[in-house]
């Protein structure tokens, strides 16, 4: 594929993704039958479950980017890491909010210390700290290595957090997949899952392009007049 | 191996010369223990029940102070660049620093136990298991803490960044250490102590090896 046609791919993915999410949500809201026990509240599942899958996917992709950057040192992985991390944090935050909205009428409380809920909250904090680290590290080389290292460590930590919280306290529903729910619920679930997938991959591609532009600006040699006036670089380790 | 011994000796000597700071961190931890009891109120039963949680929270809060301090010296006059030129290798530097931090945190933990016993009436005769939990828990704090301190020492807003990165990561340490310490203080009729200490040990093994592996990249690149 030529670079020119690739330029259109990301916005196209965003548009298709947004359209699919609208279609899937409309189907879930108006066409699908209400669930027997939970009634209308259950309809939030059509966004909640796909959000959970995609948050996991985005963060796994970020982990892959971190490993790829540490192994190859190719800057494109750093740009993608930045984009995927931000997307993973946004999706995980949305997941927590949707969960709280669903939990209030169903469990009677906004929040519960259930393993998956608590692990998601810890994951938001652990991964959300990495963009903060990037914001405060000014040297591009350091920033890239630090965030890749922090990402690898945070990812290795997630299973330990899950098991520790599981032993500590256990109330969440069993995971919903197309196999565990009635076929009447399949289509909106699947359409939304792919809609959110296209949406975030498109947005991540656009965001990575933005990171690449910023990196080019940061690492560009200063104009000759400025270079003569500039003081030597400080503290490089 | 000899590189590790030399690095450890250097870090322990640094801590010994800055021992006044350790006293200040202890005072901070003791003050935190005192303040937690104001949050709960003078209910002696509730205080005793939550004593283990307060101890580990005080230790966790105090640890960010001592961990952040541990890399201050290395940045003065770019001392770290000289250290990296030594034939010891970054792994020896990391383990030396991590063991020194661990020693300091474990001492702090041991020193805070009497404060907890006095304030919350949470005494126990099972001192050996308690010491083991403190050793494991502080190892779990210092392994990732040392790596993150190396990163945040050179960033802006380092006081906020270190806890921001470290706290979510050490949730399993906090959970397991609090549970295990509670079981030692309040009794363990169901024999649950072993799984919690195993979890602590597992966390330490994962983070000690992973952070040792990645430390070289953190100090050498950029």
């Amino acid at each position: 594929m030529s670079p020119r046609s690739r330029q259109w791919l990301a916005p196209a993915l965003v548009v298709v993704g947004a359209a699919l999410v609208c279609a899937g949500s409309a189907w879930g809201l108006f066409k699908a039958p209400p669930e027997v026990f939970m009634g209308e509240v259950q309809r939030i599942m059509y966004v909640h479950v796909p959000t959970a899958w995609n948050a996991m996917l985005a963060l796994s992709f970020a982990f892959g980017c971190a490993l790829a950057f540490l192994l190859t040192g190719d800057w494109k992985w750093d740009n993608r890491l930045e984009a995927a991390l931000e997307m993973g944090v946004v999706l995980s935050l949305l997941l927590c909010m949707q969960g709280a909205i669903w939990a209030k009428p169903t469990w009677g409380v906004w929040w519960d210390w259930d393993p998956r809920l608590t692990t998601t909250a810890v994951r938001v904090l652990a991964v959300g700290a990495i963009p903060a680290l990037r914001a405060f590290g000014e040297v591009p080389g350091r920033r890239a290595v630090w965030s890749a290292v922090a990402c690898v460590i945070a990812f290795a930590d997630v299973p330990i957090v899950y098991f520790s919280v599981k032993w500590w306290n256990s109330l969440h529903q069993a995971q919903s997949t197309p196999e565990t729910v009635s076929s009447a619920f399949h289509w909106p679930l699947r359409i939304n899952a792919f809609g959110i997938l296209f949406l975030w991959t498109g947005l991540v591609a656009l965001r990575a392009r933005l990171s690449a532009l910023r990196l080019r600006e940061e690492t560009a040699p200063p104009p000759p007049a400025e270079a003569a006036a500039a003081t030597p670089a400080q503290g490089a380790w | 191996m000899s590189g590790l011994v030399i690095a450890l000796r250097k870090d322990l000597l640094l801590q010994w010369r800055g021992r006044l700071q350790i006293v200040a961190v202890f005072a901070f931890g003791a003050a935190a223990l005192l303040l937690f009891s104001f949050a709960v109120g003078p209910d002696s039963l509730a205080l005793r029940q939550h004593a283990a949680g307060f101890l580990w929270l005080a230790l966790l809060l105090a640890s960010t102070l001592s961990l952040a301090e541990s890399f201050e010296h290395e940045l003065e006059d770019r001392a770290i660049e000289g250290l990296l030129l030594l034939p010891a290798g970054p792994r020896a530097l990391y383990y030396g620093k991590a063991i020194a931090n661990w020693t300091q945190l474990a001492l702090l933990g041991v020193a805070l136990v009497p404060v907890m016993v006095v304030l919350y009436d949470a005494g126990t005769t099972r001192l050996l298991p308690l010491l083991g939990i403190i050793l494991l828990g502080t190892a779990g704090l210092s392994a990732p803490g040392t790596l993150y301190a190396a990163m945040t020492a050179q960033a802006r807003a380092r006081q906020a960044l270190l806890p921001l990165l470290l706290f979510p990561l050490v949730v399993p340490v906090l959970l397991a250490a609090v549970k295990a310490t509670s079981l030692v203080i309040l009794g363990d009729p169901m024999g649950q102590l072993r799984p919690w200490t195993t979890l602590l040990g597992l966390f330490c093994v994962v983070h000690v090896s992973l952070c040792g592996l990645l430390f070289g990249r953190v100090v050498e690149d950029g």
Side-chain angles (χ1 to χ4, degrees):
Chain A
M1 201 185 296
S2 73
R4 190 156 179 80
S5 62
R6 253 199 350 225
Q7 280 224 320
W8 286 103
L9 187 63
L13 274 172
V14 173
V15 171
V16 172
L20 281 177
V21 171
C22 289
S25 302
W27 191 326
L29 278 175
F30 304 114
K31 197 158 179 286
E35 206 260 349
V36 181
F37 297 108
M38 289 185 270
E40 305 293 339
V41 179
Q42 168 269 345
R43 294 182 193 277
I44 202 166
M45 183 193 78
Y46 299 123
V47 283
H48 186 59
V49 175
T51 308
W53 292 337
N54 282 293
M56 208 60 226
L57 270 179
L59 290 176
S60 305
F61 178 65
F63 174 66
C65 293
L67 278 185
F69 179 78
L70 285 177
L71 294 175
T72 66
D74 189 336
W75 284 95
K76 74 177 179 208
W77 293 113
D78 181 57
N79 297 329
R80 289 174 186 165
L81 172 65
E82 177 163 274
L85 273 177
E86 287 173 4
M87 188 49 69
V89 174
V90 169
L91 285 174
S92 303
L93 261 179
L94 281 175
L95 184 66
C96 283
M97 287 182 204
Q98 295 159 355
I101 294 170
W102 176 84
K104 186 65 181 165
T106 315
W107 292 341
V109 284
W110 293 108
W111 190 261
D112 184 81
W113 298 102
D114 148 87
R116 244 180 298 159
L117 215 60
T118 315
T119 309
T120 309
V122 173
R123 196 176 70 191
V124 169
L125 288 176
V127 181
I130 304 173
L133 180 70
R134 292 183 72 90
F136 290 119
E138 283 132 351
V139 185
R142 268 187 220 164
R143 185 177 65 209
V145 173
W146 289 355
S147 47
V149 164
C151 190
V152 170
I153 294 179
F155 209 85
D157 206 47
V158 167
I160 312 182
V161 172
Y162 179 74
F163 279 109
S164 63
V165 183
K166 192 172 174 171
W167 285 354
W168 180 62
N169 185 15
S170 194
L171 168 90
H172 202 280
Q173 296 243 313
Q175 274 113 322
S176 303
T177 66
E179 283 76 47
T180 64
V181 298
S182 155
S183 59
F185 304 137
H186 280 186
W187 278 106
L189 208 56
R190 282 196 175 129
I191 294 171
N192 269 351
F194 281 102
I196 295 175
L197 179 69
F198 292 157
L199 197 60
W200 79 255
T201 40
L203 286 172
V204 161
L206 288 173
R207 180 67 182 81
R209 215 178 285 167
L210 208 63
S211 301
L213 285 175
R214 193 191 59 182
L215 186 70
R216 204 165 68 189
E217 187 146 304
E218 280 174 338
T219 51
E226 255 181 61
T231 48
Q234 287 181 344
W237 64 267
Chain B
M1 193 63 202
S2 65
L4 170 63
V5 174
I6 293 166
L8 177 60
R9 193 173 160 273
K10 172 209 65 143
D11 284 312
L12 288 175
L13 191 66
L14 266 177
Q15 290 194 345
W16 175 247
R17 289 189 180 154
R19 53 195 179 276
L20 204 60
Q21 196 244 336
I22 304 180
V23 178
V25 173
F26 167 73
F28 172 86
L33 280 180
L34 190 68
L35 290 180
F36 287 142
S37 48
F38 295 143
V40 174
D43 177 355
S44 56
L45 197 70
L47 283 174
R48 193 173 133 79
Q49 248 170 0
H50 296 128
F54 295 154
L55 174 75
W56 281 97
L57 272 182
L59 205 52
L60 179 65
L61 294 175
S63 76
T64 60
L65 297 182
S66 65
L67 287 169
E69 188 68 25
S70 67
F71 270 92
E72 292 281 309
H73 306 291
E74 314 298 2
L75 290 178
E76 282 172 18
D77 302 323
R78 296 202 212 162
I80 188 92
E81 286 175 26
L83 283 177
L84 287 172
L85 291 176
L86 296 177
R91 208 162 291 172
L93 290 181
Y94 167 75
Y95 286 115
K97 186 68 89 184
I99 294 173
N101 279 335
W102 178 30
T103 314
Q104 189 180 345
L105 284 180
L107 282 176
L108 182 68
V110 169
L112 284 176
V113 166
V115 182
M116 171 189 79
V117 172
V118 170
L119 285 180
Y120 306 138
D121 186 28
T124 176
T125 50
R126 301 172 67 195
L127 291 179
L128 217 57
L130 186 62
L131 180 69
I133 294 161
I134 289 178
L135 284 177
L136 274 176
T138 48
L141 292 182
S142 57
T146 305
L147 181 80
Y148 281 137
M151 286 188 207
T152 53
Q154 320 169 69
R156 284 183 294 128
R158 67 186 83 150
Q159 287 89 348
L161 263 187
L162 179 60
L164 196 64
L165 285 161
L166 189 61
F167 286 178
L169 204 70
V170 296
V171 164
V173 175
L174 194 64
L175 272 181
V178 168
K179 272 283 180 186
T181 312
S182 260
L183 292 169
V184 167
I185 293 172
L186 304 171
D188 179 17
M190 311 289 280
Q192 291 169 306
L193 191 57
R194 186 172 285 268
W196 287 111
T197 45
T198 311
L199 183 72
L200 266 181
L202 182 77
F203 182 93
C204 291
V205 168
V206 168
H207 281 269
V208 165
S209 42
L210 193 63
C211 296
L213 216 65
L214 292 168
F215 185 75
R217 298 299 303 268
V218 168
V219 289
E220 278 171 350
D221 281 310

PDB file of all heavy atoms in Angstrom, chain B residues 23 26 37 39 55 59 67 73 77 80 91 103 120 122 197:
ATOM      1  N   VAL B  23      16.314   8.762  60.573  1.00  0.00           N
ATOM      2  CA  VAL B  23      15.576   9.125  61.791  1.00  0.00           C
ATOM      3  C   VAL B  23      14.363   9.988  61.423  1.00  0.00           C
ATOM      4  O   VAL B  23      13.259   9.789  61.935  1.00  0.00           O
ATOM      5  CB  VAL B  23      16.500   9.879  62.785  1.00  0.00           C
ATOM      6  CG1 VAL B  23      15.728  10.299  64.017  1.00  0.00           C
ATOM      7  CG2 VAL B  23      17.683   9.006  63.163  1.00  0.00           C
ATOM      8  N   PHE B  26      11.706   7.813  60.001  1.00  0.00           N
ATOM      9  CA  PHE B  26      11.049   7.075  61.079  1.00  0.00           C
ATOM     10  C   PHE B  26      10.028   7.975  61.789  1.00  0.00           C
ATOM     11  O   PHE B  26       8.892   7.557  62.070  1.00  0.00           O
ATOM     12  CB  PHE B  26      12.085   6.545  62.079  1.00  0.00           C
ATOM     13  CG  PHE B  26      11.466   6.047  63.356  1.00  0.00           C
ATOM     14  CD1 PHE B  26      10.758   4.849  63.375  1.00  0.00           C
ATOM     15  CD2 PHE B  26      11.549   6.784  64.523  1.00  0.00           C
ATOM     16  CE1 PHE B  26      10.158   4.405  64.530  1.00  0.00           C
ATOM     17  CE2 PHE B  26      10.962   6.345  65.694  1.00  0.00           C
ATOM     18  CZ  PHE B  26      10.263   5.152  65.699  1.00  0.00           C
ATOM     19  N   SER B  37      -4.911   6.847  63.746  1.00  0.00           N
ATOM     20  CA  SER B  37      -5.831   6.555  64.847  1.00  0.00           C
ATOM     21  C   SER B  37      -6.852   7.684  65.026  1.00  0.00           C
ATOM     22  O   SER B  37      -7.969   7.442  65.470  1.00  0.00           O
ATOM     23  CB  SER B  37      -5.060   6.303  66.144  1.00  0.00           C
ATOM     24  OG  SER B  37      -4.115   7.312  66.340  1.00  0.00           O
ATOM     25  N   ALA B  39      -8.195   9.179  62.534  1.00  0.00           N
ATOM     26  CA  ALA B  39      -9.183   8.955  61.477  1.00  0.00           C
ATOM     27  C   ALA B  39     -10.221   7.928  61.919  1.00  0.00           C
ATOM     28  O   ALA B  39     -11.378   7.992  61.523  1.00  0.00           O
ATOM     29  CB  ALA B  39      -8.487   8.485  60.203  1.00  0.00           C
ATOM     30  N   LEU B  55       0.086   0.021  59.839  1.00  0.00           N
ATOM     31  CA  LEU B  55       1.546  -0.167  59.832  1.00  0.00           C
ATOM     32  C   LEU B  55       2.072  -0.138  58.395  1.00  0.00           C
ATOM     33  O   LEU B  55       3.036   0.560  58.079  1.00  0.00           O
ATOM     34  CB  LEU B  55       1.907  -1.500  60.497  1.00  0.00           C
ATOM     35  CG  LEU B  55       3.386  -1.867  60.422  1.00  0.00           C
ATOM     36  CD1 LEU B  55       4.188  -1.032  61.398  1.00  0.00           C
ATOM     37  CD2 LEU B  55       3.624  -3.344  60.695  1.00  0.00           C
ATOM     38  N   LEU B  59       4.405   2.562  56.408  1.00  0.00           N
ATOM     39  CA  LEU B  59       5.655   2.114  55.797  1.00  0.00           C
ATOM     40  C   LEU B  59       5.702   2.491  54.316  1.00  0.00           C
ATOM     41  O   LEU B  59       6.732   2.931  53.796  1.00  0.00           O
ATOM     42  CB  LEU B  59       5.757   0.596  55.978  1.00  0.00           C
ATOM     43  CG  LEU B  59       7.131  -0.039  55.984  1.00  0.00           C
ATOM     44  CD1 LEU B  59       8.049   0.648  56.964  1.00  0.00           C
ATOM     45  CD2 LEU B  59       7.019  -1.516  56.328  1.00  0.00           C
ATOM     46  N   LEU B  67      13.111   6.187  49.319  1.00  0.00           N
ATOM     47  CA  LEU B  67      13.470   5.729  47.967  1.00  0.00           C
ATOM     48  C   LEU B  67      13.871   6.910  47.091  1.00  0.00           C
ATOM     49  O   LEU B  67      14.868   6.857  46.367  1.00  0.00           O
ATOM     50  CB  LEU B  67      12.296   4.983  47.319  1.00  0.00           C
ATOM     51  CG  LEU B  67      11.992   3.582  47.847  1.00  0.00           C
ATOM     52  CD1 LEU B  67      10.664   3.084  47.306  1.00  0.00           C
ATOM     53  CD2 LEU B  67      13.099   2.618  47.477  1.00  0.00           C
ATOM     54  N   HIS B  73      21.989  11.471  45.641  1.00  0.00           N
ATOM     55  CA  HIS B  73      23.459  11.573  45.644  1.00  0.00           C
ATOM     56  C   HIS B  73      24.037  11.240  44.282  1.00  0.00           C
ATOM     57  O   HIS B  73      25.026  11.812  43.862  1.00  0.00           O
ATOM     58  CB  HIS B  73      24.045  10.613  46.678  1.00  0.00           C
ATOM     59  CG  HIS B  73      23.487  10.797  48.040  1.00  0.00           C
ATOM     60  ND1 HIS B  73      23.759  11.902  48.787  1.00  0.00           N
ATOM     61  CD2 HIS B  73      22.657  10.030  48.782  1.00  0.00           C
ATOM     62  CE1 HIS B  73      23.133  11.800  49.947  1.00  0.00           C
ATOM     63  NE2 HIS B  73      22.441  10.680  49.961  1.00  0.00           N
ATOM     64  N   ASP B  77      26.571  16.262  40.757  1.00  0.00           N
ATOM     65  CA  ASP B  77      27.796  16.269  39.933  1.00  0.00           C
ATOM     66  C   ASP B  77      27.847  15.085  38.967  1.00  0.00           C
ATOM     67  O   ASP B  77      28.915  14.572  38.652  1.00  0.00           O
ATOM     68  CB  ASP B  77      29.053  16.257  40.826  1.00  0.00           C
ATOM     69  CG  ASP B  77      29.052  17.442  41.762  1.00  0.00           C
ATOM     70  OD1 ASP B  77      28.611  18.511  41.334  1.00  0.00           O
ATOM     71  OD2 ASP B  77      29.451  17.281  42.927  1.00  0.00           O
ATOM     72  N   ILE B  80      26.536   9.395  38.684  1.00  0.00           N
ATOM     73  CA  ILE B  80      26.096   8.137  38.067  1.00  0.00           C
ATOM     74  C   ILE B  80      26.888   7.830  36.807  1.00  0.00           C
ATOM     75  O   ILE B  80      27.175   6.680  36.507  1.00  0.00           O
ATOM     76  CB  ILE B  80      24.574   8.194  37.782  1.00  0.00           C
ATOM     77  CG1 ILE B  80      24.037   6.837  37.317  1.00  0.00           C
ATOM     78  CG2 ILE B  80      24.242   9.222  36.717  1.00  0.00           C
ATOM     79  CD1 ILE B  80      23.532   6.006  38.428  1.00  0.00           C
ATOM     80  N   ARG B  91      23.756  -3.848  36.496  1.00  0.00           N
ATOM     81  CA  ARG B  91      22.986  -4.779  37.312  1.00  0.00           C
ATOM     82  C   ARG B  91      23.496  -4.772  38.758  1.00  0.00           C
ATOM     83  O   ARG B  91      22.704  -4.782  39.703  1.00  0.00           O
ATOM     84  CB  ARG B  91      23.072  -6.179  36.706  1.00  0.00           C
ATOM     85  CG  ARG B  91      21.854  -7.004  37.015  1.00  0.00           C
ATOM     86  CD  ARG B  91      21.725  -8.178  36.087  1.00  0.00           C
ATOM     87  NE  ARG B  91      21.413  -7.764  34.725  1.00  0.00           N
ATOM     88  CZ  ARG B  91      21.397  -8.583  33.687  1.00  0.00           C
ATOM     89  NH1 ARG B  91      21.707  -9.846  33.850  1.00  0.00           N
ATOM     90  NH2 ARG B  91      21.084  -8.146  32.495  1.00  0.00           N
ATOM     91  N   THR B 103      17.330  -2.833  53.177  1.00  0.00           N
ATOM     92  CA  THR B 103      17.824  -2.823  54.561  1.00  0.00           C
ATOM     93  C   THR B 103      17.196  -1.664  55.328  1.00  0.00           C
ATOM     94  O   THR B 103      16.697  -1.833  56.445  1.00  0.00           O
ATOM     95  CB  THR B 103      19.360  -2.662  54.568  1.00  0.00           C
ATOM     96  OG1 THR B 103      19.910  -3.540  53.601  1.00  0.00           O
ATOM     97  CG2 THR B 103      19.931  -2.956  55.930  1.00  0.00           C
ATOM     98  N   TYR B 120      -1.850   0.863  69.280  1.00  0.00           N
ATOM     99  CA  TYR B 120      -3.065   0.106  68.928  1.00  0.00           C
ATOM    100  C   TYR B 120      -3.262  -1.150  69.768  1.00  0.00           C
ATOM    101  O   TYR B 120      -4.164  -1.934  69.479  1.00  0.00           O
ATOM    102  CB  TYR B 120      -3.013  -0.301  67.445  1.00  0.00           C
ATOM    103  CG  TYR B 120      -2.777   0.848  66.505  1.00  0.00           C
ATOM    104  CD1 TYR B 120      -1.903   0.705  65.431  1.00  0.00           C
ATOM    105  CD2 TYR B 120      -3.433   2.057  66.660  1.00  0.00           C
ATOM    106  CE1 TYR B 120      -1.689   1.751  64.550  1.00  0.00           C
ATOM    107  CE2 TYR B 120      -3.207   3.101  65.791  1.00  0.00           C
ATOM    108  CZ  TYR B 120      -2.343   2.953  64.745  1.00  0.00           C
ATOM    109  OH  TYR B 120      -2.110   3.977  63.873  1.00  0.00           O
ATOM    110  N   ALA B 122      -1.599  -3.841  69.681  1.00  0.00           N
ATOM    111  CA  ALA B 122      -1.600  -4.953  68.739  1.00  0.00           C
ATOM    112  C   ALA B 122      -0.335  -5.786  68.915  1.00  0.00           C
ATOM    113  O   ALA B 122       0.440  -5.988  67.998  1.00  0.00           O
ATOM    114  CB  ALA B 122      -1.691  -4.427  67.305  1.00  0.00           C
ATOM    115  N   THR B 197       2.057 -15.306  52.305  1.00  0.00           N
ATOM    116  CA  THR B 197       3.501 -15.099  52.228  1.00  0.00           C
ATOM    117  C   THR B 197       4.035 -15.626  50.895  1.00  0.00           C
ATOM    118  O   THR B 197       4.982 -15.062  50.339  1.00  0.00           O
ATOM    119  CB  THR B 197       4.229 -15.786  53.401  1.00  0.00           C
ATOM    120  OG1 THR B 197       3.685 -17.080  53.555  1.00  0.00           O
ATOM    121  CG2 THR B 197       4.071 -15.015  54.678  1.00  0.00           C
TER     122      THR B 197
END
